[in-house]
Amino acid sequence: MVQVHLAKAQGQELQQLLLNIEKLTQLKSILTDMKTGYQIYQKGYSTISSLSQGNFNLHDVYLNGLLQINPAVKNYGRVAEIMSQQASLLSEYKKAYSKFRQSGSFSGGELDYMGKVYSQLVKQSLDNINELTNILTASKLRMSDDERIRAIDRIYASSTDKLQFLRYFNRNGILLSLQRTKETGDAISLKKLYGIDH
């Protein structure tokens, strides 16, 4: 009876051992599946990370390219024209303002007004030059070549308007000075004609 009991206990232990082996096999299978899933996840993450890094690199190359200045933009004909217009504006305003002051045809208030007009034109011209410099300086602004050309065209139009206004303003000043000189000359001639001394 002890042997039967012993055989029965050994049978139960053997069954429990077989059950434990089966559970271990299942756990090993689950761990293998988890490891495979993690490897797939890690490989996918690495792929996505590489793709996004590649995408970032493409964007970085594109954005850095926008900071560079194409020689065709630097050599765009309107750049030289803008510089020439700015030089003309400065030269013509100085020459005209000097003549207006020397003419004696204008009051102090009128000369102050002219000075303010000239000062404003010079300030706006310097703003144009600063903007043009920024557009043509590498690593200053992120702009495509097309955007740079459009900006240069806009500055050119502004510069042209300022120079045309200056010339109009100067012509009107010259005409007014001539008219006043003529009127003064006529008055002197009439006084001489009639013998009137002042």
Side-chain angles (χ1 to χ4, degrees), residues 50-68:
S50 295
L51 287 174
S52 70
Q53 186 62 35
N55 191 27
F56 174 76
N57 289 341
L58 285 175
H59 286 287
D60 196 38
V61 167
Y62 172 74
L63 292 174
N64 285 339
L66 292 177
L67 290 172
Q68 301 307 310

Side-chain angles (χ1 to χ4, degrees), residues 104-105 110 174-192:
S105 301
E110 289 170 324
I174 290 168
L175 289 173
L176 184 58
S177 179
L178 289 173
Q179 182 181 2
R180 287 179 177 175
T181 302
K182 184 178 184 246
E183 289 172 359
T184 303
D186 287 347
I188 291 172
S189 296
L190 284 174
K191 285 181 184 179
K192 282 183 182 177

Side-chain angles (χ1 to χ4, degrees), residues 119-132:
S119 187
Q120 187 63 25
L121 279 172
V122 169
K123 180 196 172 304
Q124 291 170 354
S125 292
L126 289 175
D127 290 345
N128 280 345
I129 292 297
N130 286 336
E131 186 178 2
L132 182 65

Side-chain angles (χ1 to χ4, degrees), residues 2 6 33-34 41 43 48 51 63 72 78 83 110 118-119 121 133-134 138 154 172 179-180 192 196:
V2 173
L6 192 59
D33 289 346
M34 285 176 66
Y41 162 77
K43 186 177 178 184
I48 289 170
L51 287 174
L63 292 174
R78 291 216 165 147
M83 300 307 288
E110 289 170 324
Y118 290 134
S119 187
L121 279 172
T133 302
N134 287 337
R154 182 180 39 73
N172 283 340
Q179 182 181 2
R180 287 179 177 175
K192 282 183 182 177
I196 303 173

